[in-house]
Amino acid sequence: MLIFLLASVGNLSMILLILMDARLHTPMYLLLSQLSLMDLTYISTIVPKMASTFILGNKSISFTGCGVQIFLFLTLAGAEGLLLTSMAYDRYVAICFPLHYPIRMNKRVCMFMILGSWMMGSVNSCAHTVYALHIPYCRSRAINHFFCDVPAMLHLACMDTWVYEYTVFVSTTFFLMVPFTGIACSYGRVLLAVCRMHSGKGKKKAYSTCSTHLTVVTFYYIPFAYTYLRPTSLRSPAEDKVLAVFYTILTPMLNPIIYSLRNKEVIRALRRVLHRIWSMKM
């Protein structure tokens, strides 16, 4: 619950700060506000129910509630993976093609990226949710996880699910590995561009921005990919639950901390907003 409160306050503060400070109304921070919105919804989908289960001892969830949790989780997981790719592209254009940045990353392109991330995540999630809810479950109804995770539910099915497991692999590859490859290529080009810079201040700013984003990407992608790209025979429920903590609980909490502490523009914007609020009270 403490982590949930920290994540909620951190992400909500980031969203409000970007809305209130006009200097942060740029594509980079618009994408960052969407990341905070996704993380806020992400952790709210999992943690409150999990915490109530531990505190109250009620370990049941309705069939409809399970379906809603699956849909929201998969929508946000896919959308966040695509959004992180858009953020990497934004930094790539800003550093490698600074003169083309206003054209390549205008508000229309930025909104297209955001809406595309949400829509593709929703369509993918809808397909998986419908399939998961129509599988015949004839074994125990006890899901060995702290939320309705589809792979954990497949163990309860009384039919062969290898075809669906293959679609999960393909879907994970598309929403995780393809974007991760794009991010790696973008930052490879960025690193070459930074090395050619003559300005020490410019290098420092570029390294700070890119290292922040790479930290977030690492925390999110690696546990997710390791969990969903492994064959079922090599997976263990205990290991899956530990890895799930990273991308469902810790990452939404750490993202606003990483972006605020390592971003001087965010810190300056926070000071401006606090000064404005203080002046209004005086």
Side-chain angles (χ1 to χ4, degrees), residues 20-65:
M20 293 172 69
D21 192 271
R23 296 186 191 182
L24 298 184
H25 293 176
T26 62
M28 174 183 170
Y29 291 103
L30 183 58
L31 292 171
L32 180 56
S33 69
Q34 286 298 306
L35 180 66
S36 293
L37 177 62
M38 288 178 182
D39 283 337
L40 182 61
T41 313
Y42 207 165
I43 198 166
S44 300
T45 302
I46 306 295
V47 174
K49 175 58 183 172
M50 182 182 70
S52 67
T53 296
F54 286 131
I55 295 168
L56 303 176
N58 180 19
K59 296 184 178 181
S60 64
I61 185 170
S62 67
F63 194 69
T64 303

Side-chain angles (χ1 to χ4, degrees), residues 86-276:
S86 300
M87 293 174 74
Y89 176 75
D90 172 76
R91 291 300 84 205
Y92 164 69
V93 175
I95 294 171
C96 297
F97 304 98
L99 298 179
H100 296 174
Y101 184 78
I103 299 171
R104 292 195 183 188
M105 279 302 297
N106 55 48
K107 286 188 178 180
R108 186 178 177 182
V109 172
C110 192
M111 291 305 298
F112 177 78
M113 287 177 167
I114 291 169
L115 291 174
S117 298
W118 280 104
M119 288 178 66
M120 291 178 73
S122 299
V123 170
N124 175 68
S125 175
C126 189
H128 284 288
T129 304
V130 169
Y131 185 88
L133 296 182
H134 283 81
I135 294 175
Y137 296 104
C138 55
R139 300 177 188 175
S140 167
R141 297 298 176 94
I143 302 170
N144 193 0
H145 217 300
F146 56 80
F147 71 102
C148 288
D149 188 35
V150 176
M153 293 171 65
L154 294 180
H155 292 291
L156 311 179
C158 53
M159 60 176 283
D160 191 357
T161 58
W162 73 269
V163 175
Y164 177 68
E165 288 173 21
Y166 179 74
T167 63
V168 170
F169 178 84
V170 172
S171 178
T172 305
T173 302
F174 178 77
F175 279 93
L176 288 180
M177 298 314 296
V178 173
F180 186 78
T181 303
I183 291 170
C185 292
S186 295
Y187 279 112
R189 294 287 300 273
V190 166
L191 188 61
L192 289 174
V194 169
C195 289
R196 295 188 189 124
M197 284 183 179
H198 299 293
S199 168
K201 187 178 179 181
K203 277 187 179 183
K204 188 176 180 181
K205 185 177 179 181
Y207 276 129
S208 176
T209 305
C210 295
S211 62
T212 298
H213 186 63
L214 282 173
T215 304
V216 171
V217 168
T218 303
F219 270 109
Y220 183 76
Y221 275 99
I222 291 179
F224 227 129
Y226 184 72
T227 299
Y228 286 90
L229 292 178
R230 283 181 300 162
T232 308
S233 58
L234 298 179
R235 297 175 63 172
S236 71
E239 197 174 48
D240 285 353
K241 282 182 274 191
V242 171
L243 290 169
V245 168
F246 279 92
Y247 54 80
T248 60
I249 302 173
L250 294 181
T251 300
M253 180 195 72
L254 291 173
N255 282 356
I257 296 172
I258 292 169
Y259 276 108
S260 61
L261 293 179
R262 301 190 65 181
N263 192 314
K264 290 181 180 179
E265 288 185 44
V266 171
I267 294 172
R268 283 196 290 265
L270 180 60
R271 287 173 180 165
R272 286 194 297 269
V273 170
L274 291 175
H275 179 72
R276 197 187 312 158

